[in-house]
Amino acid sequence: MNIATTRGTTSRAMSLPNLLTYGRIAAIPVVIGCIYAQSILDQPLWLRWVAVAIFIAAAVTDYLDGYYARIWNQQSAFGRMLDPIADKLLVASCLLMLAADGIIHGWSLWAAIVILCREILVSGLREYLAALRVSVPVTKLAKWKTTVQLIAIGFLLAGPAGDEVVPVVSMIGLALLWASAILTMYTGYDYFRAGIHHLIKEDEG
């Protein structure tokens, strides 16, 4: 790799859209740390509001990184790879922490399990199809699924702190979690069907 190529790769890796994605990943331990301190270590409830604020900022970067990448023509293979990974890390980490916290409990655990299993399934399909040089585009419904997931997690992170302000905050979060789980199953089936189609073609070829 020559110097010009190295500089070009470094420049793309440090573009604003990718920096926003890095920020989303960096927010994960802070959000989880706040909820862990409040719930497990029995620290003040205001820590949950700190977690919510940082989570909202991280969720907003999910929109902004793609927006700036498009309008500034800074789209890159690295960014396309890292962006969905950052989303999955944020969602999975928060779901696991909320389950440990007890906010997600009982039957609602199944909604979280469906979401996590779908993410693993789609990641596996994408990895295999990438080896075949087949791209599976993100659908509008999948984007709505992600939006509903993030809103649900925001409500659940507020949890007891939110319930002190509006008593149904946790219930709204759990209802939205189930809604996102239903969307997750539907979009997961779409990806699975597309993946199976290419797998059959590969075997026949």
Side-chain angles (χ1 to χ4, degrees):
M1 183 180 292
N2 57 41
I3 295 175
T5 303
T6 302
R7 287 177 178 172
T9 302
T10 302
S11 176
R12 285 192 296 271
M14 298 306 293
S15 64
L16 179 59
N18 285 338
L19 289 174
L20 290 172
T21 304
Y22 301 150
R24 189 153 73 255
I25 295 173
I28 295 171
V30 182
V31 173
I32 299 305
C34 286
I35 300 300
Y36 183 88
Q38 190 283 311
S39 176
I40 309 300
L41 302 181
D42 199 27
Q43 296 300 307
L45 279 177
W46 60 262
L47 283 170
R48 299 194 81 97
W49 291 118
V50 174
V52 171
I54 295 172
F55 179 81
I56 290 172
V60 169
T61 67
D62 186 32
Y63 167 77
L64 291 179
D65 58 10
Y67 174 75
Y68 286 126
R70 287 189 298 272
I71 65 171
W72 290 345
N73 195 28
Q74 291 184 336
Q75 294 172 317
S76 65
F78 181 74
R80 287 191 295 271
M81 178 273 295
L82 190 63
D83 183 61
I85 291 175
D87 294 342
K88 290 173 175 56
L89 288 174
L90 181 63
V91 169
S93 298
C94 287
L95 288 178
L96 289 171
M97 189 65 243
L98 288 166
D101 180 24
I103 297 296
I104 299 176
H105 63 281
W107 287 101
S108 296
L109 286 170
W110 287 104
I113 289 169
V114 165
I115 291 169
L116 292 175
C117 287
R118 182 265 189 193
E119 299 300 351
I120 294 171
L121 170 66
V122 171
S123 295
L125 280 173
R126 284 185 178 276
E127 182 178 350
Y128 180 79
L129 293 175
L132 302 179
R133 298 186 181 279
V134 174
S135 175
V136 181
V138 177
T139 64
K140 287 186 177 180
L141 188 60
K143 291 179 180 179
W144 275 106
K145 177 268 304 177
T146 300
T147 300
V148 175
Q149 271 184 12
L150 294 175
I151 295 173
I153 291 171
F155 273 89
L156 293 172
L157 288 173
D163 289 335
E164 285 194 346
V165 180
V166 181
V168 294
V169 164
S170 293
M171 293 300 296
I172 292 173
L174 292 173
L176 289 172
L177 187 70
W178 276 107
S180 68
I182 292 170
L183 290 173
T184 289
M185 286 190 289
Y186 186 83
T187 57
Y189 173 73
D190 271 354
Y191 282 122
F192 183 71
R193 183 175 58 184
I196 289 297
H197 172 71
H198 290 292
L199 288 173
I200 292 173
K201 286 179 62 176
E202 178 71 9
D203 285 341
E204 289 177 348

mmCIF file with all atom_site columns, all heavy atoms in Angstrom, residues 120-134 136:
data_model
loop_
_atom_site.group_PDB
_atom_site.id
_atom_site.type_symbol
_atom_site.label_atom_id
_atom_site.label_alt_id
_atom_site.label_comp_id
_atom_site.label_asym_id
_atom_site.label_entity_id
_atom_site.label_seq_id
_atom_site.pdbx_PDB_ins_code
_atom_site.Cartn_x
_atom_site.Cartn_y
_atom_site.Cartn_z
_atom_site.occupancy
_atom_site.B_iso_or_equiv
_atom_site.pdbx_formal_charge
_atom_site.auth_seq_id
_atom_site.auth_comp_id
_atom_site.auth_asym_id
_atom_site.auth_atom_id
_atom_site.pdbx_PDB_model_num
ATOM 1   N N   . ILE A 1 120 ? -28.243 -11.825 15.504 1.00 0.00 ? 120 ILE A N   1
ATOM 2   C CA  . ILE A 1 120 ? -27.221 -12.845 15.232 1.00 0.00 ? 120 ILE A CA  1
ATOM 3   C C   . ILE A 1 120 ? -27.485 -13.512 13.887 1.00 0.00 ? 120 ILE A C   1
ATOM 4   O O   . ILE A 1 120 ? -26.565 -13.735 13.093 1.00 0.00 ? 120 ILE A O   1
ATOM 5   C CB  . ILE A 1 120 ? -27.200 -13.887 16.364 1.00 0.00 ? 120 ILE A CB  1
ATOM 6   C CG1 . ILE A 1 120 ? -26.735 -13.230 17.672 1.00 0.00 ? 120 ILE A CG1 1
ATOM 7   C CG2 . ILE A 1 120 ? -26.276 -15.056 16.008 1.00 0.00 ? 120 ILE A CG2 1
ATOM 8   C CD1 . ILE A 1 120 ? -26.892 -14.110 18.899 1.00 0.00 ? 120 ILE A CD1 1
ATOM 9   N N   . LEU A 1 121 ? -28.753 -13.841 13.626 1.00 0.00 ? 121 LEU A N   1
ATOM 10  C CA  . LEU A 1 121 ? -29.127 -14.483 12.360 1.00 0.00 ? 121 LEU A CA  1
ATOM 11  C C   . LEU A 1 121 ? -28.768 -13.601 11.179 1.00 0.00 ? 121 LEU A C   1
ATOM 12  O O   . LEU A 1 121 ? -28.126 -14.058 10.218 1.00 0.00 ? 121 LEU A O   1
ATOM 13  C CB  . LEU A 1 121 ? -30.627 -14.777 12.356 1.00 0.00 ? 121 LEU A CB  1
ATOM 14  C CG  . LEU A 1 121 ? -31.227 -15.235 11.011 1.00 0.00 ? 121 LEU A CG  1
ATOM 15  C CD1 . LEU A 1 121 ? -30.672 -16.603 10.623 1.00 0.00 ? 121 LEU A CD1 1
ATOM 16  C CD2 . LEU A 1 121 ? -32.750 -15.269 11.086 1.00 0.00 ? 121 LEU A CD2 1
ATOM 17  N N   . VAL A 1 122 ? -29.170 -12.324 11.232 1.00 0.00 ? 122 VAL A N   1
ATOM 18  C CA  . VAL A 1 122 ? -28.918 -11.414 10.113 1.00 0.00 ? 122 VAL A CA  1
ATOM 19  C C   . VAL A 1 122 ? -27.423 -11.181 9.931  1.00 0.00 ? 122 VAL A C   1
ATOM 20  O O   . VAL A 1 122 ? -26.933 -11.135 8.796  1.00 0.00 ? 122 VAL A O   1
ATOM 21  C CB  . VAL A 1 122 ? -29.668 -10.084 10.329 1.00 0.00 ? 122 VAL A CB  1
ATOM 22  C CG1 . VAL A 1 122 ? -29.247 -9.048  9.289  1.00 0.00 ? 122 VAL A CG1 1
ATOM 23  C CG2 . VAL A 1 122 ? -31.171 -10.310 10.260 1.00 0.00 ? 122 VAL A CG2 1
ATOM 24  N N   . SER A 1 123 ? -26.685 -11.060 11.032 1.00 0.00 ? 123 SER A N   1
ATOM 25  C CA  . SER A 1 123 ? -25.229 -10.867 10.929 1.00 0.00 ? 123 SER A CA  1
ATOM 26  C C   . SER A 1 123 ? -24.572 -12.058 10.249 1.00 0.00 ? 123 SER A C   1
ATOM 27  O O   . SER A 1 123 ? -23.685 -11.900 9.402  1.00 0.00 ? 123 SER A O   1
ATOM 28  C CB  . SER A 1 123 ? -24.627 -10.658 12.319 1.00 0.00 ? 123 SER A CB  1
ATOM 29  O OG  . SER A 1 123 ? -25.090 -9.470  12.901 1.00 0.00 ? 123 SER A OG  1
ATOM 30  N N   . GLY A 1 124 ? -25.009 -13.272 10.627 1.00 0.00 ? 124 GLY A N   1
ATOM 31  C CA  . GLY A 1 124 ? -24.469 -14.474 9.998  1.00 0.00 ? 124 GLY A CA  1
ATOM 32  C C   . GLY A 1 124 ? -24.783 -14.534 8.518  1.00 0.00 ? 124 GLY A C   1
ATOM 33  O O   . GLY A 1 124 ? -23.914 -14.875 7.691  1.00 0.00 ? 124 GLY A O   1
ATOM 34  N N   . LEU A 1 125 ? -26.022 -14.190 8.152  1.00 0.00 ? 125 LEU A N   1
ATOM 35  C CA  . LEU A 1 125 ? -26.419 -14.190 6.740  1.00 0.00 ? 125 LEU A CA  1
ATOM 36  C C   . LEU A 1 125 ? -25.613 -13.158 5.951  1.00 0.00 ? 125 LEU A C   1
ATOM 37  O O   . LEU A 1 125 ? -25.145 -13.447 4.849  1.00 0.00 ? 125 LEU A O   1
ATOM 38  C CB  . LEU A 1 125 ? -27.913 -13.886 6.611  1.00 0.00 ? 125 LEU A CB  1
ATOM 39  C CG  . LEU A 1 125 ? -28.878 -15.043 6.874  1.00 0.00 ? 125 LEU A CG  1
ATOM 40  C CD1 . LEU A 1 125 ? -30.312 -14.537 6.872  1.00 0.00 ? 125 LEU A CD1 1
ATOM 41  C CD2 . LEU A 1 125 ? -28.703 -16.137 5.821  1.00 0.00 ? 125 LEU A CD2 1
ATOM 42  N N   . ARG A 1 126 ? -25.466 -11.980 6.519  1.00 0.00 ? 126 ARG A N   1
ATOM 43  C CA  . ARG A 1 126 ? -24.732 -10.920 5.826  1.00 0.00 ? 126 ARG A CA  1
ATOM 44  C C   . ARG A 1 126 ? -23.267 -11.327 5.612  1.00 0.00 ? 126 ARG A C   1
ATOM 45  O O   . ARG A 1 126 ? -22.682 -11.060 4.562  1.00 0.00 ? 126 ARG A O   1
ATOM 46  C CB  . ARG A 1 126 ? -24.793 -9.621  6.619  1.00 0.00 ? 126 ARG A CB  1
ATOM 47  C CG  . ARG A 1 126 ? -26.131 -8.905  6.506  1.00 0.00 ? 126 ARG A CG  1
ATOM 48  C CD  . ARG A 1 126 ? -26.078 -7.566  7.213  1.00 0.00 ? 126 ARG A CD  1
ATOM 49  N NE  . ARG A 1 126 ? -27.322 -6.840  7.078  1.00 0.00 ? 126 ARG A NE  1
ATOM 50  C CZ  . ARG A 1 126 ? -27.646 -6.085  6.032  1.00 0.00 ? 126 ARG A CZ  1
ATOM 51  N NH1 . ARG A 1 126 ? -26.783 -5.981  5.024  1.00 0.00 ? 126 ARG A NH1 1
ATOM 52  N NH2 . ARG A 1 126 ? -28.791 -5.442  5.974  1.00 0.00 ? 126 ARG A NH2 1
ATOM 53  N N   . GLU A 1 127 ? -22.670 -11.954 6.618  1.00 0.00 ? 127 GLU A N   1
ATOM 54  C CA  . GLU A 1 127 ? -21.277 -12.382 6.493  1.00 0.00 ? 127 GLU A CA  1
ATOM 55  C C   . GLU A 1 127 ? -21.121 -13.408 5.377  1.00 0.00 ? 127 GLU A C   1
ATOM 56  O O   . GLU A 1 127 ? -20.186 -13.339 4.572  1.00 0.00 ? 127 GLU A O   1
ATOM 57  C CB  . GLU A 1 127 ? -20.801 -12.955 7.825  1.00 0.00 ? 127 GLU A CB  1
ATOM 58  C CG  . GLU A 1 127 ? -19.339 -13.374 7.811  1.00 0.00 ? 127 GLU A CG  1
ATOM 59  C CD  . GLU A 1 127 ? -18.875 -13.901 9.159  1.00 0.00 ? 127 GLU A CD  1
ATOM 60  O OE1 . GLU A 1 127 ? -19.617 -13.762 10.143 1.00 0.00 ? 127 GLU A OE1 1
ATOM 61  O OE2 . GLU A 1 127 ? -17.764 -14.466 9.203  1.00 0.00 ? 127 GLU A OE2 1
ATOM 62  N N   . TYR A 1 128 ? -22.061 -14.376 5.327  1.00 0.00 ? 128 TYR A N   1
ATOM 63  C CA  . TYR A 1 128 ? -21.984 -15.402 4.294  1.00 0.00 ? 128 TYR A CA  1
ATOM 64  C C   . TYR A 1 128 ? -22.220 -14.805 2.913  1.00 0.00 ? 128 TYR A C   1
ATOM 65  O O   . TYR A 1 128 ? -21.489 -15.099 1.960  1.00 0.00 ? 128 TYR A O   1
ATOM 66  C CB  . TYR A 1 128 ? -23.013 -16.500 4.561  1.00 0.00 ? 128 TYR A CB  1
ATOM 67  C CG  . TYR A 1 128 ? -22.989 -17.595 3.512  1.00 0.00 ? 128 TYR A CG  1
ATOM 68  C CD1 . TYR A 1 128 ? -22.023 -18.588 3.548  1.00 0.00 ? 128 TYR A CD1 1
ATOM 69  C CD2 . TYR A 1 128 ? -23.905 -17.599 2.471  1.00 0.00 ? 128 TYR A CD2 1
ATOM 70  C CE1 . TYR A 1 128 ? -21.972 -19.574 2.579  1.00 0.00 ? 128 TYR A CE1 1
ATOM 71  C CE2 . TYR A 1 128 ? -23.870 -18.576 1.497  1.00 0.00 ? 128 TYR A CE2 1
ATOM 72  C CZ  . TYR A 1 128 ? -22.902 -19.562 1.558  1.00 0.00 ? 128 TYR A CZ  1
ATOM 73  O OH  . TYR A 1 128 ? -22.859 -20.527 0.586  1.00 0.00 ? 128 TYR A OH  1
ATOM 74  N N   . LEU A 1 129 ? -23.242 -13.957 2.799  1.00 0.00 ? 129 LEU A N   1
ATOM 75  C CA  . LEU A 1 129 ? -23.574 -13.375 1.496  1.00 0.00 ? 129 LEU A CA  1
ATOM 76  C C   . LEU A 1 129 ? -22.497 -12.412 1.026  1.00 0.00 ? 129 LEU A C   1
ATOM 77  O O   . LEU A 1 129 ? -22.284 -12.263 -0.178 1.00 0.00 ? 129 LEU A O   1
ATOM 78  C CB  . LEU A 1 129 ? -24.925 -12.669 1.568  1.00 0.00 ? 129 LEU A CB  1
ATOM 79  C CG  . LEU A 1 129 ? -26.130 -13.593 1.796  1.00 0.00 ? 129 LEU A CG  1
ATOM 80  C CD1 . LEU A 1 129 ? -27.402 -12.776 1.984  1.00 0.00 ? 129 LEU A CD1 1
ATOM 81  C CD2 . LEU A 1 129 ? -26.300 -14.568 0.637  1.00 0.00 ? 129 LEU A CD2 1
ATOM 82  N N   . ALA A 1 130 ? -21.810 -11.779 1.961  1.00 0.00 ? 130 ALA A N   1
ATOM 83  C CA  . ALA A 1 130 ? -20.716 -10.885 1.582  1.00 0.00 ? 130 ALA A CA  1
ATOM 84  C C   . ALA A 1 130 ? -19.605 -11.672 0.888  1.00 0.00 ? 130 ALA A C   1
ATOM 85  O O   . ALA A 1 130 ? -18.957 -11.175 -0.042 1.00 0.00 ? 130 ALA A O   1
ATOM 86  C CB  . ALA A 1 130 ? -20.171 -10.166 2.804  1.00 0.00 ? 130 ALA A CB  1
ATOM 87  N N   . ALA A 1 131 ? -19.380 -12.913 1.352  1.00 0.00 ? 131 ALA A N   1
ATOM 88  C CA  . ALA A 1 131 ? -18.370 -13.771 0.717  1.00 0.00 ? 131 ALA A CA  1
ATOM 89  C C   . ALA A 1 131 ? -18.773 -14.114 -0.719 1.00 0.00 ? 131 ALA A C   1
ATOM 90  O O   . ALA A 1 131 ? -17.917 -14.362 -1.570 1.00 0.00 ? 131 ALA A O   1
ATOM 91  C CB  . ALA A 1 131 ? -18.187 -15.049 1.528  1.00 0.00 ? 131 ALA A CB  1
ATOM 92  N N   . LEU A 1 132 ? -20.089 -14.114 -0.982 1.00 0.00 ? 132 LEU A N   1
ATOM 93  C CA  . LEU A 1 132 ? -20.597 -14.364 -2.335 1.00 0.00 ? 132 LEU A CA  1
ATOM 94  C C   . LEU A 1 132 ? -20.721 -13.078 -3.140 1.00 0.00 ? 132 LEU A C   1
ATOM 95  O O   . LEU A 1 132 ? -21.192 -13.105 -4.276 1.00 0.00 ? 132 LEU A O   1
ATOM 96  C CB  . LEU A 1 132 ? -21.969 -15.043 -2.266 1.00 0.00 ? 132 LEU A CB  1
ATOM 97  C CG  . LEU A 1 132 ? -22.058 -16.382 -1.523 1.00 0.00 ? 132 LEU A CG  1
ATOM 98  C CD1 . LEU A 1 132 ? -23.499 -16.884 -1.540 1.00 0.00 ? 132 LEU A CD1 1
ATOM 99  C CD2 . LEU A 1 132 ? -21.117 -17.406 -2.136 1.00 0.00 ? 132 LEU A CD2 1
ATOM 100 N N   . ARG A 1 133 ? -20.321 -11.963 -2.527 1.00 0.00 ? 133 ARG A N   1
ATOM 101 C CA  . ARG A 1 133 ? -20.441 -10.630 -3.130 1.00 0.00 ? 133 ARG A CA  1
ATOM 102 C C   . ARG A 1 133 ? -21.902 -10.278 -3.414 1.00 0.00 ? 133 ARG A C   1
ATOM 103 O O   . ARG A 1 133 ? -22.239 -9.706  -4.452 1.00 0.00 ? 133 ARG A O   1
ATOM 104 C CB  . ARG A 1 133 ? -19.593 -10.521 -4.408 1.00 0.00 ? 133 ARG A CB  1
ATOM 105 C CG  . ARG A 1 133 ? -18.110 -10.699 -4.154 1.00 0.00 ? 133 ARG A CG  1
ATOM 106 C CD  . ARG A 1 133 ? -17.278 -10.442 -5.392 1.00 0.00 ? 133 ARG A CD  1
ATOM 107 N NE  . ARG A 1 133 ? -15.872 -10.637 -5.146 1.00 0.00 ? 133 ARG A NE  1
ATOM 108 C CZ  . ARG A 1 133 ? -15.061 -9.749  -4.578 1.00 0.00 ? 133 ARG A CZ  1
ATOM 109 N NH1 . ARG A 1 133 ? -15.553 -8.587  -4.193 1.00 0.00 ? 133 ARG A NH1 1
ATOM 110 N NH2 . ARG A 1 133 ? -13.786 -10.007 -4.383 1.00 0.00 ? 133 ARG A NH2 1
ATOM 111 N N   . VAL A 1 134 ? -22.767 -10.672 -2.503 1.00 0.00 ? 134 VAL A N   1
ATOM 112 C CA  . VAL A 1 134 ? -24.192 -10.362 -2.591 1.00 0.00 ? 134 VAL A CA  1
ATOM 113 C C   . VAL A 1 134 ? -24.530 -9.365  -1.490 1.00 0.00 ? 134 VAL A C   1
ATOM 114 O O   . VAL A 1 134 ? -24.224 -9.598  -0.322 1.00 0.00 ? 134 VAL A O   1
ATOM 115 C CB  . VAL A 1 134 ? -25.069 -11.631 -2.432 1.00 0.00 ? 134 VAL A CB  1
ATOM 116 C CG1 . VAL A 1 134 ? -26.551 -11.253 -2.382 1.00 0.00 ? 134 VAL A CG1 1
ATOM 117 C CG2 . VAL A 1 134 ? -24.793 -12.601 -3.570 1.00 0.00 ? 134 VAL A CG2 1
ATOM 118 N N   . VAL A 1 136 ? -27.317 -7.307  0.721  1.00 0.00 ? 136 VAL A N   1
ATOM 119 C CA  . VAL A 1 136 ? -28.718 -7.315  1.151  1.00 0.00 ? 136 VAL A CA  1
ATOM 120 C C   . VAL A 1 136 ? -29.028 -5.925  1.696  1.00 0.00 ? 136 VAL A C   1
ATOM 121 O O   . VAL A 1 136 ? -28.588 -5.574  2.790  1.00 0.00 ? 136 VAL A O   1
ATOM 122 C CB  . VAL A 1 136 ? -28.976 -8.382  2.235  1.00 0.00 ? 136 VAL A CB  1
ATOM 123 C CG1 . VAL A 1 136 ? -30.451 -8.374  2.638  1.00 0.00 ? 136 VAL A CG1 1
ATOM 124 C CG2 . VAL A 1 136 ? -28.570 -9.758  1.734  1.00 0.00 ? 136 VAL A CG2 1
#
